[in-house]
Amino acid sequence: MKFSESWLRTLVDTQLSSEELSHLLTMAGLEVEGLEPVAPQFNDVVVAQVLEVVKHPDADRLNVCKVDTGRGEPTTIVCGAPNVAVGLRVPCALPGAKLPGDFVIKIAEVRGIESSGMLCSAKELGIAEEASGLLILPFDAPVGQSIRQYLDLDDNQFELKLTPNRADCLSLTGVAREVAAIAGAQAELIEVPEVAATIADQRAVVLDAPVACPLYFGRVLKRVNAKAPTPEWMRRRLERSGIRSISALVDVTNYVMLELGQPLHAFDNTKLEGAVHARMAKPDEKLLLLNEQTINIDADILVIADDVKPLAMAGIMGGEESGITLETSELFLESAFFAPKAIAGRARRYGFGSDASHRFERGVDFGGAKRAIERATQLIIDICGGAAGPVTEARAEMPARKPVRLRTARACAVIGMTFSPEQIAGLFSGLGLTFVREGEDFLVTPPTWRFDIEIEEDLIEEIARLHGYDNIPAPAPRGNLKMMVQPEAQRPASRVRQLLVDRGYQEVVNFAFVEEAWEADFAAKTDEADLIRLANPIASQMAVMRSTLFGGLISNLVTNLKRKQNRVRLFETGRTFQRSAAAAPVAGFAQAWKLSGLTYGGALPDTWGSGSRKVDFFDVKGDLEALLAPVPLRFEKILHPALHPGRSARIYLGNNEIGCVGELHPEWVQKYDLPNAPVLFEVDFDAVKASGVPVYAEVSKFPAVIRDIAIVVDQNLELQALLDGLKGQLPTLIKDLQLFDIYVGKGIPENKKSLAFRIVMQDTQRTLQDSEVDAAMQQLMACLGQAFGAELRA
């Protein structure tokens, strides 16, 4: 909410500086998001009257003006503004004046004529971005007065970032009430006397939806001059509050909304038929709104209507057909209370919002509705003239103001400092809260403008913020601390992260709610029953919960590529979400922790000796093996919707599947406009953190024997199947068996391939003899031949 500081100071008497006031409001929970002067600094600019205008003898576009600056003799000023004319009152910068941009006014000769000053536009004074000529002032502007004083340019514009529960501070009256309470000042709120009816005209009001609209005031005004100009003081206050001046009648309703917090609406009374109804919309009703948008009104929308047609979306926006214009001379003024639940979300459903809906959906002071219509009536009569009829009131059951009990001891315990009952009573009185003392307890009845006081904690919050959050002591915590036990069989998550960072990865954190398309692309979830859809997403493209971390990593990669980062290595740890019949931790959903990573670009950072090899499947496979070392991993071919069908694998830790790894599927490489395919992995985070307790194994002091062997096997035999088949059957002397070559071609039968292994044999008790080594090799070949039909390559 924006407002003028000078306007606020007319309502509350405080000697605080602007900066002190800003700090005090922020510490009381009303965060000041902006504090800016309404005009830049300049001096020696006064109100002047143009007495004479003569064409410059040597310049077609210049005029020689005689100007009264209130300093005695008229001053000669050469001016090029197209709108200069005799009789105008305009700003005049005197010699020696310093304008915005460090522009100093001097006595100068312009085409042979001495000019002693400058007549100014709003742009030259820094109070407007554009100007087509001089700033024309009202004819009653006092000649010689400082323009800063006349236009109140020493004012500041405050902007508050209010939380949704503080709707009472969406008005100058509410802010003034807060300032008075926190600064110990005296609030001088506007006195609003009732306007006596001078005509008998009135229009009946019917509450057809009393729960949604329990209170409605209406009043007929006639013989109103809608073309009357808005007073400069009102226009100025509106503009400094971020509202554009439109016409006198509209400006009055906006002004009262800002002043008292009560949104008003004015209908052209000649366009209404019969009584005014506050009712729910009927089937197939349409309404042309003031924003020129025609809507089909849903059945749960509260409307203001006459006996024939809908007139407005109640509390949101009026209709164009019943709206006031400059030709309006008879109007029906509305001031009502609409229940927040009847307004909340309705405007956003149609893709727009309004100042009225912003206030009504948070809660408006229903005790001030009649005060607001009286205030608006008086302003309209003062500015536009006319005559007012009697106020029509329709009232149903109003929101209950249930008393809330506050225990002094409880408040002190929660806040962490001692308050006496007298201190608390003073704070509550400053806020205008009505209370009854019961010993040291307080029974507080919330006022009509406070919808956020419902429980004891709300009152404790009021005490804390009025006292000042920065005035609450913050002692160091004291307690008996105990080191948490770190199981030896489990690595801490920070260690896992550090291992990945050591291998060149950088951690990212993405939202757990993602685009629906990502779930279809990377998890093949196209059935609505498989998706976990959010009831109220923060954005349309973040509507479902993720079942894989791949989508966020691909999005991170796209962002990095747009910023010319050609080598990207990322990882993320986070929950993924699946539908499940299990009861825990949330019934119907499984929330597994996953570790996912992505690599793209060069296998090594660019250096003079690193070469230009691109990262591939085996690089990432090596990263995973290093991450889980010394526990060996097994990899099996897999078909995964996100991964390349021939360059991806399922990962096994022991007999348990823990994840997958592979290149991104070519279809998604093309869809997401990637120059090359990244390599991704995703594994169960709990499996990665698990580590076996170290077990002692004797290290041999004797030399190892290394033999190479090449065998011929079927083309379709997978290496992992061969290694799995040899488990438990290898001779005890063989400590390691590693593949180092695969060959298909000349000398190898068709549908066969050659696998070359390096075999390491060693004993912890003695040096191996050739006979023992030969026997072990023969036993190995026998196992290979029997299990896989392998033959020794010639």
Side-chain angles (χ1 to χ4, degrees), residues 29 128 149 255 373 378 403 469 493-494 521 581 651 680 719 778:
Q149 181 181 356
Y255 182 84
I373 200 170
Q378 187 62 61
Y469 292 122
S494 59
D521 294 347
I651 307 171
L680 304 102
L719 173 64
Q778 290 175 3

Short mmCIF file of all heavy atoms in Angstrom, two decimals, residues 29 128 149 255 373 378 403 469 493-494 521 581 651 680 719 778:
data_model
loop_
_atom_site.label_atom_id
_atom_site.label_comp_id
_atom_site.label_asym_id
_atom_site.label_seq_id
_atom_site.Cartn_x
_atom_site.Cartn_y
_atom_site.Cartn_z
N GLY A 29 5.83 -4.85 12.52
CA GLY A 29 5.22 -5.84 11.63
C GLY A 29 4.63 -5.28 10.37
O GLY A 29 4.09 -6.03 9.56
N ALA A 128 7.49 14.91 -13.02
CA ALA A 128 6.81 14.19 -14.10
C ALA A 128 7.87 13.74 -15.09
O ALA A 128 8.91 14.39 -15.25
CB ALA A 128 5.77 15.07 -14.78
N GLN A 149 6.62 24.42 -1.15
CA GLN A 149 5.61 24.56 -0.11
C GLN A 149 4.21 24.49 -0.70
O GLN A 149 3.33 23.81 -0.15
CB GLN A 149 5.81 25.88 0.63
CG GLN A 149 4.81 26.10 1.76
CD GLN A 149 5.02 27.44 2.46
OE1 GLN A 149 5.95 28.17 2.16
NE2 GLN A 149 4.15 27.75 3.40
N TYR A 255 -10.88 8.12 -2.79
CA TYR A 255 -10.29 8.84 -1.67
C TYR A 255 -10.81 8.29 -0.33
O TYR A 255 -10.03 8.06 0.60
CB TYR A 255 -10.60 10.33 -1.79
CG TYR A 255 -10.00 11.17 -0.70
CD1 TYR A 255 -8.68 11.62 -0.80
CD2 TYR A 255 -10.73 11.51 0.44
CE1 TYR A 255 -8.11 12.40 0.21
CE2 TYR A 255 -10.18 12.28 1.45
CZ TYR A 255 -8.86 12.72 1.32
OH TYR A 255 -8.31 13.48 2.33
N ILE A 373 -20.07 6.17 3.96
CA ILE A 373 -21.04 6.74 3.03
C ILE A 373 -21.36 8.19 3.41
O ILE A 373 -21.59 9.04 2.54
CB ILE A 373 -22.33 5.87 2.97
CG1 ILE A 373 -23.09 6.17 1.68
CG2 ILE A 373 -23.22 6.07 4.17
CD1 ILE A 373 -24.23 5.20 1.40
N GLN A 378 -20.62 13.91 1.94
CA GLN A 378 -20.21 15.28 2.23
C GLN A 378 -19.20 15.78 1.19
O GLN A 378 -19.28 16.92 0.72
CB GLN A 378 -19.62 15.37 3.63
CG GLN A 378 -19.32 16.79 4.08
CD GLN A 378 -20.58 17.63 4.15
OE1 GLN A 378 -21.51 17.33 4.91
NE2 GLN A 378 -20.66 18.69 3.35
N PRO A 403 -14.97 -12.76 22.45
CA PRO A 403 -13.86 -12.34 23.31
C PRO A 403 -12.75 -13.39 23.33
O PRO A 403 -13.00 -14.59 23.24
CB PRO A 403 -14.52 -12.19 24.69
CG PRO A 403 -15.98 -12.04 24.41
CD PRO A 403 -16.26 -12.85 23.18
N TYR A 469 9.91 -5.62 18.03
CA TYR A 469 10.66 -6.87 17.95
C TYR A 469 12.15 -6.65 18.25
O TYR A 469 12.82 -7.51 18.80
CB TYR A 469 10.51 -7.50 16.56
CG TYR A 469 9.11 -8.01 16.28
CD1 TYR A 469 8.38 -7.54 15.19
CD2 TYR A 469 8.51 -8.96 17.10
CE1 TYR A 469 7.09 -8.00 14.92
CE2 TYR A 469 7.23 -9.43 16.85
CZ TYR A 469 6.53 -8.94 15.77
OH TYR A 469 5.25 -9.41 15.51
N ALA A 493 24.90 -37.24 5.06
CA ALA A 493 24.54 -36.70 3.75
C ALA A 493 25.56 -35.68 3.29
O ALA A 493 25.86 -35.57 2.09
CB ALA A 493 23.15 -36.08 3.81
N SER A 494 26.13 -34.90 4.23
CA SER A 494 27.12 -33.91 3.85
C SER A 494 28.35 -34.54 3.23
O SER A 494 28.98 -33.96 2.33
CB SER A 494 27.51 -33.07 5.07
OG SER A 494 28.05 -33.91 6.09
N ASP A 521 7.32 -36.74 -20.04
CA ASP A 521 8.55 -37.00 -20.79
C ASP A 521 9.50 -37.92 -20.04
O ASP A 521 10.00 -38.90 -20.61
CB ASP A 521 9.27 -35.68 -21.10
CG ASP A 521 8.48 -34.80 -22.05
OD1 ASP A 521 7.51 -35.29 -22.67
OD2 ASP A 521 8.83 -33.61 -22.17
N ALA A 581 -0.02 -47.39 -1.68
CA ALA A 581 -1.05 -47.86 -0.75
C ALA A 581 -0.57 -47.84 0.69
O ALA A 581 -1.34 -48.07 1.62
CB ALA A 581 -1.48 -49.28 -1.12
N ILE A 651 20.95 -49.96 -12.08
CA ILE A 651 22.05 -50.08 -11.13
C ILE A 651 21.62 -50.98 -9.97
O ILE A 651 20.56 -50.77 -9.39
CB ILE A 651 22.47 -48.70 -10.59
CG1 ILE A 651 22.77 -47.73 -11.74
CG2 ILE A 651 23.69 -48.82 -9.67
CD1 ILE A 651 22.97 -46.29 -11.29
N LEU A 680 22.73 -38.76 -17.39
CA LEU A 680 22.07 -38.57 -16.11
C LEU A 680 22.10 -39.84 -15.27
O LEU A 680 22.25 -40.95 -15.81
CB LEU A 680 20.61 -38.15 -16.30
CG LEU A 680 20.31 -36.91 -17.13
CD1 LEU A 680 19.83 -37.33 -18.52
CD2 LEU A 680 19.27 -36.02 -16.46
N LEU A 719 28.53 -59.23 -20.41
CA LEU A 719 29.65 -59.36 -19.48
C LEU A 719 29.17 -59.56 -18.06
O LEU A 719 29.71 -60.39 -17.32
CB LEU A 719 30.54 -58.11 -19.56
CG LEU A 719 31.67 -58.03 -18.53
CD1 LEU A 719 32.67 -59.16 -18.73
CD2 LEU A 719 32.36 -56.68 -18.59
N GLN A 778 43.53 -73.44 -15.48
CA GLN A 778 42.77 -74.55 -16.08
C GLN A 778 41.39 -74.67 -15.42
O GLN A 778 40.37 -74.92 -16.09
CB GLN A 778 43.55 -75.85 -15.92
CG GLN A 778 44.80 -75.92 -16.78
CD GLN A 778 45.62 -77.18 -16.51
OE1 GLN A 778 45.23 -78.03 -15.71
NE2 GLN A 778 46.78 -77.28 -17.16
#
